[in-house]
Amino acid sequence: MPDARLPLFREAPQDVLRRVWGYPAFRGQQADIVEHVCAGGDALVLMPTGAGKSLCYQIPALVRHGVTIVVSPLIALMRDQVDALRQLGVRAAYLNSTLEWRETQEIERACEQGELDLLYVAPERLVTPRFLDLLERSRIALFALDEAHCVSQWGHDFRPEYLQLSILHERFPIVPRIALTATADAQTRADIVNRLNLHGAKLFLSSFDRPNLTYRILSKDAERRQLLDFIRRDHAEDAGIVYCMSRAKVDAIADWLRQQGLDALPYHAGLDSQVRQANQDRFIKAEGVVMVATVAFGMGIDKPNVRFVVHMDPPRSLEAYYQETGRAGRDGLPAEVLMLYGFGDVVQLRQMVEQSDSPANYKRTERQKLEALLGFCETVRCRRQTLLSYFGEDYPKPCGNCDTCANPVETYDGTIPAQKALSAVYRTGQRFGVGHLIDVLRGLATEKVTERGHDKLKTFGCGKDLSKQEWQTVFRQLVAYGFLAADPEGHGGLILTDQAPALLKGQESVRLRKDPAAERKSARGSSRSGYGGGGAVRPRTAPIDLSKEDDELWHALKALRLDLAREQGVPPYVIFHDATLMEMVREKPHDAVALGLLPGVGAKKLERYGDYFLDVILQHT
Ligand code: ADP
Ligand code: ZN
């Protein structure tokens, strides 16, 4: 029962934000959400990764009386969040299968006695009679349903246990509920409202833009070298994720990166679960590990300072792309995402859809998703605009922070080269792969060409004006736009589609993109990087460019943080985030008062770690 003698709130939200987290102000809609929930309203919060969803329930947890119950689907996530909260001096705990009986009992006791601010639980535990009884005996401030898209079957990580969470509303009708997710599509949203019975909840929908991510897609030519250049030049000491389509490729790329001297680890479902766990743990707790992985990796990875995500092969859809790239830069500092994309990928993606056994209506959706993905890869528009418009969001101006903005792509009337390419396919009998077709077009009398008499064809040598690579680009786009397809019998040959004749006869024209050469301006605006070309560029080791002295301080602060984290067995970022260390480098505070003013330095952390960090700063100034 609410106690009439208690003041309404324990502390004002703004004061909690300053005192505990050390942040000067709320971001975006946080203030409105917090106010609404503190006042007892239900809320559905749709915000992209990294926008700060956690504070939307963690602050009310410290403002309202009682314990906030957080439903979270993954043990690793719970542990991370609780570690981070305890560092802030918040009374937080989790209940899950990894705990011993005695620990469980102790936490239950603390919950009942009002000694906890936040209690994290998995959905399957929440609905047990034992736990519901505990809730009856405790004073509950709020229910927070994290990763609420897990309730939807449409989503990528459906968790049937989430369906039972509507019980909370029935058993505890006066306790407010806040559901949060980074998945915004309309179908999933409707599912969340219906299945969690959130019809009365206020909807808080944020923009899904991730302004600190730099988007880039490179035409794949020598993928390993492209990857290595990208990491060496711009991300020498950074943590990152490299996604590959297959397990075999994950193993091969991880091995190869290690041979090149990088701290790379593999992760895929074929690895022993202990190895997988150990690799994930290292990625989280060490600094600068590159995780080479299939898409099995990433769900529940909360590491805020993932500085890059590379797709060695295109993702399955734009939804998947948004989600996978979204794991970079949660901390809001600049991060880069790179996709390598080539002729073979387009052929393979198209083949996968055409040959899938899915029912017709499903196949239609698959095809539409593929068109959207290919359209994104081939676009000459701003990537961010293209991506957000796919999700129904209007981004008014080109972003200036993607490859097509940094290096505008030239297009040209490609009708003639396209006709030459299609005619080469036709005249050679629609049986040959792109390598042979390009030889024919460029007039190379290889053995294969002469043996088949292809040097006698009208198209032989009619395409000498373009290089091999330029032809590859033409063929890739012709497959992407659906003028050519892979031979359904396999064999790697290309065939004409029903769209081809109109183009061949000149009834239709086509504009093609000229892929920018490997040399490039950095999308970040500095001229630091340009893969492929030589140039003595200092590899960047901090999220932003630093002077030599500042770079040394940055490294010293990181080393100290790692030591402190190791002592306690927690990830370094729960001590201080990179953004806070960057502030220390920038401001170089000389006393506790100045240090305490930096964003991310709350009262508890100042008390605990202030002297260590001040020492290092003083040594370097
Ligand atoms: P999400 O759960 O939405 O992915 P998080 O809650 O993990 O995002 O927050 C992302 C990062 O932003 C965290 O490092 C968090 O501490 C930081 N953050 C959130 N809100 C603020 C704020 N008002 N001021 C400064 N930093 C914030
Ligand atoms: Zn752009």
Side-chain angles (χ1 to χ4, degrees), residues 116-167:
L116 284 180
D117 297 313
L118 290 115
L119 178 57
Y120 285 72
V121 288
E124 46 282 62
R125 172 167 309 242
L126 187 107
V127 296
T128 59
R130 182 185 171 89
F131 192 77
L132 289 170
D133 279 350
L134 172 68
L135 293 185
E136 298 279 7
R137 296 196 304 274
S138 312
R139 177 174 185 150
I140 310 168
L142 172 68
F143 289 114
L145 314 173
D146 207 2
E147 312 287 347
H149 61 274
C150 289
V151 79
S152 170
Q153 260 147 332
W154 295 108
H156 22 83
D157 19 67
F158 174 56
R159 296 276 302 249
E161 312 85 60
Y162 263 69
L163 292 173
Q164 292 177 45
L165 295 181
S166 59
I167 197 173

Side-chain angles (χ1 to χ4, degrees), residues 17 21 23-27 30 47-55 81 302 304 330-331 577:
L17 181 72
W21 274 268
Y23 293 149
F26 283 114
R27 273 189 195 156
Q30 279 176 336
M47 251 187 206
T49 305
K53 281 185 288 301
S54 328
L55 286 187
Q81 294 254 5
D302 234 352
R330 291 180 82 114
D331 55 11
H577 275 189

Side-chain angles (χ1 to χ4, degrees), residues 215 381-385 395 397-406:
Y215 293 96
R381 278 178 72 203
C382 166
R383 303 272 188 209
R384 192 177 310 271
Q385 281 186 315
Y395 191 91
K397 278 200 299 234
C399 73
N401 190 20
C402 72
D403 57 347
T404 47
C405 281

Side-chain angles (χ1 to χ4, degrees), residues 191-243:
D191 258 8
I192 296 173
V193 169
N194 287 327
R195 298 187 169 183
L196 296 177
N197 204 343
L198 278 168
H199 300 279
K202 185 161 176 189
L203 173 69
F204 294 91
L205 174 62
S206 306
S207 161
F208 269 66
D209 181 28
R210 298 288 315 278
N212 59 317
L213 296 193
T214 304
Y215 293 96
R216 178 174 315 136
I217 299 180
L218 272 184
S219 162
K220 193 186 276 185
D221 48 57
E223 58 176 7
R224 292 189 175 189
R225 184 188 54 76
Q226 288 173 302
L227 172 66
L228 193 63
D229 285 352
F230 173 77
I231 298 178
R232 284 228 172 111
R233 287 176 180 242
D234 276 353
H235 297 284
E237 293 171 13
D238 290 344
I241 306 174
V242 176
Y243 283 115

